[in-house]
Amino acid sequence: RCRGSGKMAEEEPGGHTDTDWCLERLGGDPPGQRLQLLPGTEVTLGRGLGVTHQLLAKDSSLMISRNHCCFRLTAVGACTVTDNQSVNGVWVNGCRLVAHQPRALCEGDLVQLGVPVEQHKQAEFEYRLVRRAAGAGSTATSPPLPPRGRAKRKLECRDTELGATQDNAGSSSKVQRLSQDQLQPH
């Protein structure tokens, strides 16, 4: 039950592929969404902002960890999945993975993220590793997220120099208020 169920995900002889490896979602809304895995890439899934594809569970918001798991398809076509120490686990063909230990995947393997909630027979995020003809319209489960940089803080009108001149005569900018606070004895 815990063994691979099919052919290893690998590249065609000569370094060219005429097929794409995809994770095809079972169930879901809409059903049949596919996440394409490209040779030499890493795809992270989770509910956090720093992942490649963000998954937001409908029934249980914390079912998927912020950085739940990682799929890798090497340049030679070997596909692996790694559980990034998720709370509710990553399961391959019904067996829970050990955290931080990559698991080789085979064509047809069933990958489950999290566990089913009481009212459902299957987990919300279940995928099967499939091969599709190259360029056969694979669609991502969600658009890739841009790289996350430092968040910019939004200033209120009173925090700007312009706002200070427009507010009450006694108001000052945040910089001025902080400077004054530091100068006053505590």
Side-chain angles (χ1 to χ4, degrees):
R1 182 177 160 102
C2 293
R3 300 274 179 212
S5 58
K7 185 177 178 185
M8 286 293 291
E10 59 190 32
E11 195 168 336
E12 299 296 322
H16 301 288
T17 58
D18 56 359
T19 57
D20 291 332
W21 287 102
C22 301
L23 291 169
E24 187 171 69
R25 188 166 176 194
L26 307 176
D29 186 24
Q33 289 178 321
R34 289 188 296 271
L35 176 64
Q36 185 176 4
L37 301 174
L38 300 173
T41 61
E42 176 178 294
V43 175
T44 54
L45 300 176
R47 66 178 162 84
L49 296 176
V51 297
T52 310
H53 290 278
Q54 191 174 43
L55 303 175
L56 301 174
K58 292 179 183 176
D59 294 324
S60 178
S61 62
L62 299 177
M63 180 60 67
I64 301 297
S65 295
R66 287 183 187 97
N67 186 0
H68 201 91
C69 67
C70 177
F71 288 91
R72 287 185 182 88
L73 187 61
T74 66
V76 295
C79 186
T80 63
V81 61
T82 304
D83 182 344
N84 291 334
Q85 203 167 355
S86 63
V87 173
N88 292 305
V90 176
W91 307 73
V92 176
N93 299 326
C95 293
R96 187 169 183 166
L97 301 185
V98 176
H100 303 295
Q101 292 186 9
R103 163 72 156 73
L105 294 176
C106 299
E107 183 176 8
D109 278 350
L110 179 67
V111 180
Q112 172 184 313
L113 309 181
V115 295
V117 291
E118 291 178 9
Q119 63 268 32
H120 299 289
K121 291 182 180 180
Q122 71 181 51
E124 187 173 349
F125 295 100
E126 285 190 0
Y127 299 88
R128 185 170 309 280
L129 183 65
V130 296
R131 235 179 172 167
R132 298 281 180 226
S138 297
T139 58
T141 58
S142 63
L145 297 171
R148 188 171 177 212
R150 285 191 64 157
K152 293 185 179 178
R153 185 177 167 274
K154 293 183 179 178
L155 297 175
E156 296 176 11
C157 185
R158 66 184 183 93
D159 293 337
T160 65
E161 292 296 327
L162 179 60
T165 60
Q166 291 177 347
D167 275 347
N168 300 337
S171 68
S172 59
S173 72
K174 185 171 186 174
V175 173
Q176 291 170 335
R177 288 192 312 270
L178 290 173
S179 297
Q180 290 171 357
D181 288 345
Q182 291 175 353
L183 294 174
Q184 294 177 359
H186 294 284

